[in-house]
Amino acid sequence: MRLKRSHSLCSIVFPVLLVTIISVFSAGAEEMVTVYDDFDDGRFGRSEYRSVLRSVKLSAFARSETLPVLSPALDEESFLTAVVLSGEVYNSLVPLMDDRGRILYSRQGLEFVFSLEKPGPAIYEVIEEYYSGTRQYWLEAVTQHYKENYVIRIHSAENIFEPWNDTITYTEALLMATAVGDRDQWLWGIHDGLNLLFP
């Protein structure tokens, strides 16, 4: 009788204790920005297999430097990503844009410059390439989602991954875009954003 009571007490106390411990640890957990790091730069950050994750705590950005995107190898002065930011957010950001349509994000030790633009044919090609064939059902929905919203172009970023270099890698730029991008990214292979603009 006593054994049964202690067993039933354990079956009640243990789950409650487990939930309490998990919630205590998650409450104290610092927010992190995460990207897939097994992507092809030419596909605007989309990862085919989503098998390699790279995460950075927000506090780590206080120790890195903001640099302009200058990639002589790619003949680029900015990096376009397939990370989406909603049209509603775009409208609220218009007053913050400079005369070139650029926005400076400077908060929580993180500082970079980005702009927003409607997706072009190259991004729609990436969407069509992935959703054709057996995934055709999603092609129209994801394409429409991109048409209704904006994608993020990074003009300066923090050299968080390779601070010894005076250049910004595509992964570092993708990290910035993901920091402010929508929490729900529809294109398979683009990691969900952190929405730091309106957390």
Side-chain angles (χ1 to χ4, degrees), residues 77-169:
E77 291 187 4
S78 63
F79 285 127
L80 180 62
T81 72
V83 178
V84 169
L85 194 69
S86 77
E88 289 175 17
V89 174
Y90 174 87
N91 293 333
S92 64
L93 291 175
V94 169
L96 303 176
M97 294 179 185
D98 67 13
D99 56 354
R100 295 179 293 177
R102 297 179 181 184
I103 301 154
L104 170 66
Y105 180 90
S106 183
R107 245 187 282 171
Q108 297 171 294
L110 181 57
E111 184 172 297
F112 63 96
V113 175
F114 69 98
S115 61
L116 301 166
E117 60 190 71
K118 285 293 186 180
I123 285 186
Y124 288 120
E125 185 182 308
V126 170
I127 295 169
E128 189 165 354
E129 187 179 89
Y130 181 73
Y131 290 104
S132 60
T134 57
R135 303 180 194 99
Q136 188 75 33
Y137 172 79
W138 294 104
L139 177 60
E140 188 177 337
V142 175
T143 301
Q144 190 59 35
H145 179 71
Y146 272 77
K147 283 181 179 174
E148 291 170 0
N149 296 294
Y150 293 81
V151 289
I152 301 173
R153 182 181 288 276
I154 298 297
H155 300 277
S156 72
E158 298 212 16
N159 62 345
I160 192 83
F161 292 136
E162 297 182 9
W164 54 88
N165 287 333
D166 288 333
T167 58
I168 295 299
T169 65

